[in-house]
Amino acid sequence: MVEDADRAEFGIEGDWAVVRRHRIRWSECDQYAHANNAAYLALCEDLRVSHWLSLGGRFAVGEPGPVVAQMEVRYLQSLAFDDAVAVTMRPAALRRSSLTQDYAVWKRGLVFTCRAVLVLIRHGSGEKVAIPPAMRAVLVGQGAAEDA
């Protein structure tokens, strides 16, 4: 959950299940020291992977894991080298074998949003897999709505 100090420092609004601080690295920037568009997506990916691991998920052949099926992004403000930011994530919706997650990047207010639809597949076979009940319960506890 987002702490009051993070809300004050980064201007975070709303309810978010996970927050991670990050400082924009030179390797994430173009020649003018502006953060590359792909860097924003990598921040979301890093948070998605650590969240999956925190749920007890693994990345191994034969194991189910999330695969991005769709993304919608909005770039609201640019970021630059050495900017301190907060990246937030919350699960938004669950279906049998897929989930939707919302992400945001904050620096004195909202600078980027992303919505990703993830499908659980068994690595190696590509077979869709139902979200395990224990994982589903945690995601619902973090705010995810269960769709029909």
Side-chain angles (χ1 to χ4, degrees):
M1 296 306 252
V2 179
E3 302 291 331
D4 289 342
D6 290 327
R7 287 185 186 284
E9 181 177 351
F10 298 104
I12 299 172
E13 299 175 359
D15 294 326
W16 296 91
V18 181
V19 63
R20 174 185 279 179
R21 290 170 172 252
H22 179 78
R23 188 164 294 277
I24 301 298
R25 299 178 304 242
W26 184 255
S27 63
E28 297 169 320
C29 296
D30 61 21
Q31 64 188 3
Y32 304 107
H34 298 119
N36 183 292
N37 289 357
Y40 296 74
L41 299 175
L43 293 173
C44 296
E45 178 182 53
D46 288 346
L47 196 50
R48 180 170 49 256
V49 168
S50 67
H51 183 250
W52 176 252
L53 295 173
S54 79
L55 295 171
R58 297 181 35 192
F59 293 99
V61 174
E63 295 288 329
V67 173
V68 175
Q70 180 180 340
M71 289 185 117
E72 179 180 332
V73 301
R74 290 181 56 217
Y75 297 91
L76 304 168
Q77 294 179 35
S78 62
L79 293 172
F81 172 67
D82 210 35
D83 280 346
V85 299
V87 185
T88 55
M89 188 281 303
R90 64 181 164 215
L94 299 174
R95 296 184 63 94
R96 187 189 81 74
S97 61
S98 66
L99 61 146
T100 303
Q101 292 182 327
D102 291 330
Y103 302 87
V105 178
W106 308 83
K107 178 193 148 195
R108 294 187 304 272
L110 185 62
V111 300
F112 172 83
T113 64
C114 176
R115 176 164 272 206
V117 177
L118 311 171
V119 177
L120 255 58
I121 62 132
R122 188 167 312 284
H123 294 290
S125 73
E127 161 196 14
K128 287 184 182 179
V129 177
I131 298 169
M135 192 176 288
R136 179 177 290 276
V138 172
L139 292 165
V140 168
Q142 291 178 336
E146 294 192 85
D147 289 348

